[in-house]
Amino acid sequence: MPNILLTRIDNRLIHGQVGVTWVNHLGANLILVANDEVASDEVQQSLMEMVLPDAIGTRFFTIEKTIKVINKAAPRQLIFLVCKTPQDVLRLIEGGVPIKEINIGNMHFKTGKQQISSTVSLDDDDKKTLRKLHDMGIKLEIRRVPDEKIEVDILKYI
C-alpha cells in the first residue's frame, strides 16, 4: 500500500503553496503529479521543480502510469499526489489507486463555471465527478493552505 499522505486537485499543479507549505505540513518527500499533458512536457516539469527544495523528489506520470506503478512505491516514499482535475482523480481511483480524501485547492474560473469559493469554480462535469467521488466514500474539502479553516461546504454545490 503506497503512503499517499494527501491527494490535491490544483490546476496549477506544483507552485509555492504546494511545493513549500503543503509539503512541510504533510512531511512529504515526494510529489507525484498525475496528469497526461504534463507527463510529456519537460518545460512545465522544469518550471514546477524550480519551486521545490532539493530534498523533495518529483515524478510526472500519466494517469495510466500512476495506476500501474503507485502500488510499487517504497514504504519510505511519503507521497503528496497532485492532479489537475477531479476527472483525473476519478480515473486514478477507478484504476485502483487507494485515495480516501481529496483536498481541492484551485480550480480556475472560466465561462460556464460556477465560482463556489475564492479559488474554486466548477462546471457541470466537475460537479458530477465530485458527486461520484463523494458517493464512493471519498472525503472532499476545499482548502488552499493547511492552516486555513474549511469554510465552504462543497456538498451543497454538487
Side-chain angles (χ1 to χ4, degrees):
M1 183 77 97
N3 285 325
I4 299 173
L5 304 176
L6 183 66
T7 300
R8 178 177 171 96
I9 296 170
D10 193 321
N11 58 357
R12 299 171 297 171
L13 299 171
I14 298 176
H15 53 89
Q17 286 175 348
V18 167
V20 178
T21 308
W22 278 103
V23 165
N24 289 337
H25 172 75
L26 296 170
N29 59 21
L30 176 67
I31 298 178
L32 192 164
V33 173
N35 180 265
D36 292 344
E37 293 168 28
V38 173
S40 62
D41 188 333
E42 292 181 15
V43 173
Q44 281 191 65
Q45 293 173 21
S46 294
L47 291 171
M48 286 186 244
E49 287 176 326
M50 289 173 54
V51 303
L52 296 174
D54 291 337
I56 305 303
T58 53
R59 303 290 185 278
F60 298 93
F61 293 160
T62 63
I63 299 299
E64 224 23 71
K65 183 169 182 177
T66 303
I67 290 166
K68 288 179 184 172
V69 303
I70 192 87
N71 288 310
K72 297 176 185 174
R76 71 181 180 284
Q77 291 177 306
L78 306 175
I79 302 167
F80 183 15
L81 181 58
V82 182
C83 296
K84 200 170 208 171
T85 68
Q87 294 77 13
D88 284 348
V89 177
L90 179 61
R91 287 176 55 206
L92 290 173
I93 292 170
E94 290 176 339
V97 177
I99 295 170
K100 305 287 184 233
E101 179 178 343
I102 300 169
N103 164 262
I104 304 166
N106 198 349
M107 295 175 65
H108 287 312
F109 177 80
K110 66 180 180 182
T111 303
K113 289 194 171 208
Q114 175 188 11
Q115 187 167 357
I116 65 167
S117 79
S118 62
T119 61
V120 176
S121 298
L122 307 173
D123 62 21
D124 289 339
D125 189 39
D126 296 331
K127 291 175 185 179
K128 181 178 132 191
T129 303
L130 290 168
R131 170 54 67 185
K132 186 170 185 174
L133 290 165
H134 170 73
D135 291 346
M136 295 167 82
I138 309 299
K139 180 183 174 202
L140 305 171
E141 69 168 28
I142 295 175
R143 200 162 40 130
R144 290 175 300 180
V145 293
D147 60 354
E148 182 176 69
K149 182 178 176 235
I150 300 168
E151 295 181 20
V152 177
D153 178 11
I154 193 168
L155 297 181
K156 69 182 181 182
Y157 294 101
I158 61 172

